[in-house]
Amino acid sequence: MLSKKKSISQLLEAWQYDEDLKENIMHWHTLEAQPASYAPFPETMHQSIRKALQMRGIEQLYTHQRQAFDYATGGKSFTAVTPTASGKSYCYHLPVLQKILEDKSSRAIYLFPTKALAQDQKTDLNELIELMDEDILSYTYDGDTAPGIRQKIRKAGHIVMTNPDMLHSGILPHHTKWVSLFENLKYIVIDELHTYKGVFGSHVAHVIRRLKRICAFYGSDPIFICTSATIKNPKELAESLTNTTHKLIAKSGAPVGKKTFIFYNPPIIHPTFGVRRSAILEVRDLSTRLFEAGIQTIIFAKSRVRVEMLVTYLKSLTAKKIADESIQGYRGGYLPSERREIEKGLRDGSIQMVVSTNALELGVDIGQLQACIMTGYPGNIASAWQQAGRAGRRQDEALIIYVAQSTALDQYVVNHPTYLLGSEPEQANINPENILILMAHLKCAAFELPFSVTDHYGEFTVQELLAYLAEEGVLVKTSTQWHWMSDRFPAHEISLRSAAQENVVIIDTTVPAKTKVIGEMDTYSAMTLLHEEAIYIHQGTQFQVEKLDWEEKKAFVREVDVDYFTDANLAVELKVLEEDKCAHYKTATVSYGDVGILAIPTIFKKIRFNTHDNIGSGPIHLPPMEMHTNATWVSFDLPENWSEEMLTDALHGAAYALGSFIPLFIQCDRSDVSVVPQVKAVHNERPTLFIYDSYPGGIGLSEKVYDVLLPLLERTVQHIENCPCKSGCPSCIGAQDSLQESKKRVLKVLNILLVEMMWP
Amino acid sequence: MSYENKILQMKKMLGKKTSEEQEKPKFVKPAAPSYKEAWTAAGLTPVHNDFGMLFKREVRYPLTYRHGNYELGELYNAIEAWEAADMNHPYRLTFDDTLVFFDTETTGLKGTGTHIFLLGLLEERGDEFVLTQYVLADPENEAALLFESKFWQRAITIVSYNGKSFDWPMLETRWTLNQNIIPKLRPQKQIDLLHSSKRLWKNDLEKMKLVQVEEEKLGFKREGDIPGYLAPIIYFDAVKSGNAEALMKVLLHNEWDLLSLITLYVHQTKLLFASEVESAVTYTNIGKWYGDLKQPIASEHVLTNVTENYREQEASLAYFYLAIQQKRNANYESAKLSFEKALPGISPKQKLQAYEQLAMLHEHQFQQFDRALFYTEKGLEIVRQSSLTTDQKQKQLVKWEKRYKRIENKRQ
């Protein structure tokens, strides 16, 4: 048999003449290669560093690396925007090593969002130090660090690589054991800055404020070095995260290879309902072409379920080969050892195709992939570029295929390629003012060091809050100070990563004598993915959940072989707790404030593979989950003569459409904000649309929606009107069961609001 | 107030700072707490120094003061015994040591937010014993408390119960937090009686809590004692309410802990010099301890004492440790006999070791390959029945089967 292997340019040439594909490709776009721009080594750079770089074949720096060195040695905190494979780690390694060589008592902390990234960087840094032939000690310090070596790291480690969680609960509350680190701390490096957004970022912002407080106690004032993927506001994010002024290095001097983008829209198979062929099935077919051409490819899918479905489909390509591991899934919920194995397979080429959730957006080094397929728009531009960056590392030609799903935002992006290619990526938002997060960390800070009655905490004045904590009985006020006075350990009461504290452990009971843990999942996701009778797919194998022990947070699963997957519904109830802002129109009111949310999983559906038919359903019995957050809500009067059912449909359609376009206006991920309609809201008994932050305490997104509601309505109405479908489809107001007046009604509801807001 | 209302209230309290923070002022001596009189009335003495104030309680005991089975003065006999023994041992004390029996009470278990609110020191003064308890007036007066302890000034020998890994590191933490105010903490010689208790009473006492040790070994039973875990809450209450009545109970608890440290040291010394009778288990432990300290003569002496004076079932473990000593001293015949006598009463893990040693002795020293094979088979049997993980089991099997083949070859 002839080899079918092709290069990307050969493949693209063939595709140009492929009638099947041509119809669905909405747009081709090529980004030309960019040459590197260099700068010489700084004069002051230590001989040992120079020597090590030369041994790696580096005779000069990229311009951004040089600028980083100059800022750092000039005592300025800075943030460097560094695309994949631009040699970002030299932006911090070089100044840090330089400082340690100049003064051996100097110390640095490197913060990575995950343990795995710290491990990667330690290996790399230790190789560099070995080439330098200098006595510099760098260690990772996390939950895996052996107790025997911890003492040495605390006393003698020049560079301590850790993660925010460890800093939060393992280092800061025990700072007296780290005196030599805190007294001599010169640099704090924050890698993958863009990952510190939302709730996690807000938590980390406080961990950093606590860290700075402790540094001040020991008399050090470290410089911050941050590196970030492309986002709209790297400088602002860094400044907000670290409460420190930053310089920005926006331009990378690293070379970039040629990239071809293909915008692919699945064909319409039911014109009346506007139903398109499933994006997953299209991705399966496109992946098959790439697999047969021998092109190493990464496929991104948005949910764990979709990843597993694709793995199941694609593994049939290698089903006839024995022990073929060339196609793999990769997502959160796999055990760390399993993930390390896959990362290695990608680097050494034994794995040709990997299907991933956004877990791989992070800078884990998986070497060179040639192509990337995005199943649906990942929700924001920054993520899309990071996913695209996985293809074509190190100057090679790369292919990126975006396959649109039938949602409104996906369809908008596939029809407006300039949105993705031309516009700026999103902001990463954090909200250190989130009162729940702030109070939790204020306790930790008070535990770590007493506050004086004149102290601030970061940029906040907190004396009243400290008095509140004293009333609660955890602080006591002496003549001039607030002291921690409780036998609790406050850091253990916070998890930085999510609102939900615990994970559900997934236990395989297929062989009763040999039960084993195969993964874990946060409680919020578990409500809809691990309920009893749910089909949980792990590495392409189907498991049915036999029993979910909610108290103990354990899901017992058994291997099954069925031709369907499950999909669960979540019902949401809202109550208004406090109204902070309000605008009145003729009949409508728009408000912003605090809300309480109750989420209850209701029923699940069984959906057949390939055809995606609904073949059964059942109830879910789980306790509701509560959350307090911020929301913007719009209430208005019922149009005359409408039944409640008509209104329900219209509100759902309006919520669906509005929700789709929010990310265009406030630069966030689709899932950061939720839109929920209530036909009769509890607080005023009027039809109401709630737009709320999907995180406890809120992160300031719905407040922004309050200000952009009018243009948001305009854009939404315009999109629905222009949608080619007759009576509503997944690209505008959501899939419809029957041919009714839904689309007209949604437009009517939205127009009532629009007209009132335009001409109040 | 409901949860939601609390949150809304808190949000209103949050402000943002406008101007830059001023320079931190130099150390200012903190004021005395408002409850100074109340605590004094409860029986504490206020003490003032350059760093603020603290409270103090002092109790003196004559040498004849009896605490459980012993009089405090017997400490001198114990030290004399060590002086006379001329042996290198981590628990050895001499009359050159300035002894401070030491115990703290704290507001929690770990972290910089945990305060030491009571430093208890019990010292011998030749003709009497003096207990000094220093009580934290409030957290702001911490430097005053630490300074008063004199731990920065004198070279002393600290005797404690779990002090090496708890009380002393906690004291170091508190000291570090006050490092800009008071002189550096002096590193001190440490004797931790929890460690020696574990050595002596392994397989004998179920729990190594001091209260258990007192009851079972020292003949002291507490009455009206408050449990240690209540101490933080009692201190918080004393600070918040100004009422120190319950706090005095914590001081009594601490006093008993310290008195028991003296009698515990006396008792353990007697055991080490075999001038007190306890079970075979304890003496076997002592023998092993001497062995681990590389003092083979003392070790063999104690173990032989067990094998000669106790019934054989009780002495199995002593035979086992003795055998190891004997083999180390190239005393192969005795080692063989001791291992054989040890076999009936030791754990499977130790049995496996014994079979291995016996197989080696018969293979290398006595060239009796039949016997060597016999013991190898016994060893294999244990490995096969063991609850080791598959991986470890595999390793063991490979090792034992290799031995088996080698001996079989030699036999032919």
Side-chain angles (χ1 to χ4, degrees), chain A residues 279-295:
Chain A
I280 297 236
L281 299 180
E282 292 296 314
V283 168
R284 178 190 66 187
D285 296 346
L286 287 166
S287 309
T288 307
R289 288 168 182 263
L290 292 175
F291 187 80
E292 282 166 356
I295 289 172

PDB file of all heavy atoms in Angstrom, chain A residues 279-295:
ATOM      1  N   ALA A 279     -21.390  19.198  14.964  1.00  0.00           N
ATOM      2  CA  ALA A 279     -19.982  19.582  14.827  1.00  0.00           C
ATOM      3  C   ALA A 279     -19.067  18.426  15.214  1.00  0.00           C
ATOM      4  O   ALA A 279     -18.001  18.242  14.623  1.00  0.00           O
ATOM      5  CB  ALA A 279     -19.695  20.803  15.690  1.00  0.00           C
ATOM      6  N   ILE A 280     -19.509  17.644  16.183  1.00  0.00           N
ATOM      7  CA  ILE A 280     -18.683  16.519  16.630  1.00  0.00           C
ATOM      8  C   ILE A 280     -18.466  15.527  15.490  1.00  0.00           C
ATOM      9  O   ILE A 280     -17.361  15.028  15.283  1.00  0.00           O
ATOM     10  CB  ILE A 280     -19.374  15.815  17.819  1.00  0.00           C
ATOM     11  CG1 ILE A 280     -19.467  16.792  18.968  1.00  0.00           C
ATOM     12  CG2 ILE A 280     -18.678  14.522  18.168  1.00  0.00           C
ATOM     13  CD1 ILE A 280     -18.875  16.361  20.237  1.00  0.00           C
ATOM     14  N   LEU A 281     -19.532  15.279  14.743  1.00  0.00           N
ATOM     15  CA  LEU A 281     -19.395  14.321  13.645  1.00  0.00           C
ATOM     16  C   LEU A 281     -18.492  14.889  12.547  1.00  0.00           C
ATOM     17  O   LEU A 281     -17.700  14.176  11.947  1.00  0.00           O
ATOM     18  CB  LEU A 281     -20.776  13.978  13.072  1.00  0.00           C
ATOM     19  CG  LEU A 281     -21.738  13.338  14.081  1.00  0.00           C
ATOM     20  CD1 LEU A 281     -23.078  13.041  13.429  1.00  0.00           C
ATOM     21  CD2 LEU A 281     -21.144  12.060  14.658  1.00  0.00           C
ATOM     22  N   GLU A 282     -18.602  16.194  12.302  1.00  0.00           N
ATOM     23  CA  GLU A 282     -17.722  16.823  11.319  1.00  0.00           C
ATOM     24  C   GLU A 282     -16.267  16.729  11.773  1.00  0.00           C
ATOM     25  O   GLU A 282     -15.370  16.445  10.986  1.00  0.00           O
ATOM     26  CB  GLU A 282     -18.099  18.304  11.136  1.00  0.00           C
ATOM     27  CG  GLU A 282     -19.443  18.540  10.489  1.00  0.00           C
ATOM     28  CD  GLU A 282     -19.501  18.025   9.057  1.00  0.00           C
ATOM     29  OE1 GLU A 282     -18.548  18.286   8.297  1.00  0.00           O
ATOM     30  OE2 GLU A 282     -20.487  17.348   8.713  1.00  0.00           O
ATOM     31  N   VAL A 283     -16.052  16.978  13.061  1.00  0.00           N
ATOM     32  CA  VAL A 283     -14.685  16.917  13.586  1.00  0.00           C
ATOM     33  C   VAL A 283     -14.148  15.499  13.450  1.00  0.00           C
ATOM     34  O   VAL A 283     -12.985  15.287  13.099  1.00  0.00           O
ATOM     35  CB  VAL A 283     -14.644  17.382  15.059  1.00  0.00           C
ATOM     36  CG1 VAL A 283     -13.306  17.057  15.695  1.00  0.00           C
ATOM     37  CG2 VAL A 283     -14.914  18.873  15.139  1.00  0.00           C
ATOM     38  N   ARG A 284     -15.020  14.530  13.710  1.00  0.00           N
ATOM     39  CA  ARG A 284     -14.598  13.142  13.558  1.00  0.00           C
ATOM     40  C   ARG A 284     -14.086  12.913  12.128  1.00  0.00           C
ATOM     41  O   ARG A 284     -13.018  12.346  11.916  1.00  0.00           O
ATOM     42  CB  ARG A 284     -15.784  12.209  13.835  1.00  0.00           C
ATOM     43  CG  ARG A 284     -15.448  10.750  13.662  1.00  0.00           C
ATOM     44  CD  ARG A 284     -16.691   9.887  13.714  1.00  0.00           C
ATOM     45  NE  ARG A 284     -17.580  10.166  12.565  1.00  0.00           N
ATOM     46  CZ  ARG A 284     -18.799   9.639  12.444  1.00  0.00           C
ATOM     47  NH1 ARG A 284     -19.295   8.861  13.391  1.00  0.00           N
ATOM     48  NH2 ARG A 284     -19.534   9.919  11.388  1.00  0.00           N
ATOM     49  N   ASP A 285     -14.830  13.407  11.134  1.00  0.00           N
ATOM     50  CA  ASP A 285     -14.447  13.163   9.745  1.00  0.00           C
ATOM     51  C   ASP A 285     -13.170  13.917   9.369  1.00  0.00           C
ATOM     52  O   ASP A 285     -12.293  13.388   8.690  1.00  0.00           O
ATOM     53  CB  ASP A 285     -15.595  13.551   8.810  1.00  0.00           C
ATOM     54  CG  ASP A 285     -16.823  12.670   9.057  1.00  0.00           C
ATOM     55  OD1 ASP A 285     -16.665  11.627   9.741  1.00  0.00           O
ATOM     56  OD2 ASP A 285     -17.915  13.028   8.595  1.00  0.00           O
ATOM     57  N   LEU A 286     -13.074  15.173   9.829  1.00  0.00           N
ATOM     58  CA  LEU A 286     -11.866  15.952   9.518  1.00  0.00           C
ATOM     59  C   LEU A 286     -10.644  15.320  10.191  1.00  0.00           C
ATOM     60  O   LEU A 286      -9.570  15.232   9.603  1.00  0.00           O
ATOM     61  CB  LEU A 286     -12.035  17.397  10.001  1.00  0.00           C
ATOM     62  CG  LEU A 286     -13.002  18.261   9.179  1.00  0.00           C
ATOM     63  CD1 LEU A 286     -13.345  19.534   9.947  1.00  0.00           C
ATOM     64  CD2 LEU A 286     -12.397  18.600   7.826  1.00  0.00           C
ATOM     65  N   SER A 287     -10.827  14.862  11.422  1.00  0.00           N
ATOM     66  CA  SER A 287      -9.717  14.247  12.156  1.00  0.00           C
ATOM     67  C   SER A 287      -9.243  12.998  11.436  1.00  0.00           C
ATOM     68  O   SER A 287      -8.049  12.714  11.382  1.00  0.00           O
ATOM     69  CB  SER A 287     -10.135  13.853  13.570  1.00  0.00           C
ATOM     70  OG  SER A 287     -10.727  14.927  14.206  1.00  0.00           O
ATOM     71  N   THR A 288     -10.195  12.247  10.898  1.00  0.00           N
ATOM     72  CA  THR A 288      -9.839  11.031  10.195  1.00  0.00           C
ATOM     73  C   THR A 288      -8.926  11.366   9.014  1.00  0.00           C
ATOM     74  O   THR A 288      -7.912  10.703   8.782  1.00  0.00           O
ATOM     75  CB  THR A 288     -11.120  10.334   9.691  1.00  0.00           C
ATOM     76  OG1 THR A 288     -11.982  10.176  10.801  1.00  0.00           O
ATOM     77  CG2 THR A 288     -10.801   8.982   9.100  1.00  0.00           C
ATOM     78  N   ARG A 289      -9.267  12.434   8.298  1.00  0.00           N
ATOM     79  CA  ARG A 289      -8.418  12.845   7.171  1.00  0.00           C
ATOM     80  C   ARG A 289      -7.000  13.180   7.653  1.00  0.00           C
ATOM     81  O   ARG A 289      -6.017  12.780   7.039  1.00  0.00           O
ATOM     82  CB  ARG A 289      -8.992  14.097   6.491  1.00  0.00           C
ATOM     83  CG  ARG A 289     -10.246  13.838   5.679  1.00  0.00           C
ATOM     84  CD  ARG A 289     -10.867  15.181   5.304  1.00  0.00           C
ATOM     85  NE  ARG A 289     -12.102  15.041   4.558  1.00  0.00           N
ATOM     86  CZ  ARG A 289     -12.186  15.101   3.213  1.00  0.00           C
ATOM     87  NH1 ARG A 289     -11.098  15.312   2.497  1.00  0.00           N
ATOM     88  NH2 ARG A 289     -13.346  14.969   2.616  1.00  0.00           N
ATOM     89  N   LEU A 290      -6.919  13.927   8.755  1.00  0.00           N
ATOM     90  CA  LEU A 290      -5.596  14.323   9.257  1.00  0.00           C
ATOM     91  C   LEU A 290      -4.829  13.106   9.765  1.00  0.00           C
ATOM     92  O   LEU A 290      -3.624  12.982   9.570  1.00  0.00           O
ATOM     93  CB  LEU A 290      -5.733  15.362  10.376  1.00  0.00           C
ATOM     94  CG  LEU A 290      -6.251  16.728   9.938  1.00  0.00           C
ATOM     95  CD1 LEU A 290      -6.470  17.623  11.155  1.00  0.00           C
ATOM     96  CD2 LEU A 290      -5.289  17.393   8.971  1.00  0.00           C
ATOM     97  N   PHE A 291      -5.543  12.206  10.406  1.00  0.00           N
ATOM     98  CA  PHE A 291      -4.891  11.007  10.938  1.00  0.00           C
ATOM     99  C   PHE A 291      -4.298  10.188   9.800  1.00  0.00           C
ATOM    100  O   PHE A 291      -3.151   9.751   9.860  1.00  0.00           O
ATOM    101  CB  PHE A 291      -5.912  10.168  11.719  1.00  0.00           C
ATOM    102  CG  PHE A 291      -5.301   8.995  12.436  1.00  0.00           C
ATOM    103  CD1 PHE A 291      -4.651   9.179  13.639  1.00  0.00           C
ATOM    104  CD2 PHE A 291      -5.362   7.715  11.896  1.00  0.00           C
ATOM    105  CE1 PHE A 291      -4.067   8.110  14.316  1.00  0.00           C
ATOM    106  CE2 PHE A 291      -4.778   6.642  12.559  1.00  0.00           C
ATOM    107  CZ  PHE A 291      -4.136   6.842  13.769  1.00  0.00           C
ATOM    108  N   GLU A 292      -5.075  10.036   8.740  1.00  0.00           N
ATOM    109  CA  GLU A 292      -4.592   9.235   7.611  1.00  0.00           C
ATOM    110  C   GLU A 292      -3.438   9.918   6.899  1.00  0.00           C
ATOM    111  O   GLU A 292      -2.577   9.256   6.328  1.00  0.00           O
ATOM    112  CB  GLU A 292      -5.745   8.940   6.648  1.00  0.00           C
ATOM    113  CG  GLU A 292      -6.623   7.820   7.203  1.00  0.00           C
ATOM    114  CD  GLU A 292      -7.948   7.689   6.496  1.00  0.00           C
ATOM    115  OE1 GLU A 292      -8.243   8.517   5.594  1.00  0.00           O
ATOM    116  OE2 GLU A 292      -8.697   6.752   6.851  1.00  0.00           O
ATOM    117  N   ALA A 293      -3.401  11.237   6.941  1.00  0.00           N
ATOM    118  CA  ALA A 293      -2.291  11.954   6.313  1.00  0.00           C
ATOM    119  C   ALA A 293      -1.059  11.958   7.219  1.00  0.00           C
ATOM    120  O   ALA A 293      -0.012  12.502   6.858  1.00  0.00           O
ATOM    121  CB  ALA A 293      -2.711  13.385   5.994  1.00  0.00           C
ATOM    122  N   GLY A 294      -1.191  11.383   8.390  1.00  0.00           N
ATOM    123  CA  GLY A 294      -0.034  11.270   9.292  1.00  0.00           C
ATOM    124  C   GLY A 294       0.328  12.574   9.959  1.00  0.00           C
ATOM    125  O   GLY A 294       1.483  12.789  10.335  1.00  0.00           O
ATOM    126  N   ILE A 295      -0.642  13.448  10.157  1.00  0.00           N
ATOM    127  CA  ILE A 295      -0.355  14.760  10.753  1.00  0.00           C
ATOM    128  C   ILE A 295      -0.692  14.720  12.240  1.00  0.00           C
ATOM    129  O   ILE A 295      -1.797  14.338  12.628  1.00  0.00           O
ATOM    130  CB  ILE A 295      -1.161  15.854  10.036  1.00  0.00           C
ATOM    131  CG1 ILE A 295      -0.555  16.045   8.646  1.00  0.00           C
ATOM    132  CG2 ILE A 295      -1.151  17.160  10.818  1.00  0.00           C
ATOM    133  CD1 ILE A 295      -1.327  16.940   7.753  1.00  0.00           C
TER     134      ILE A 295
END
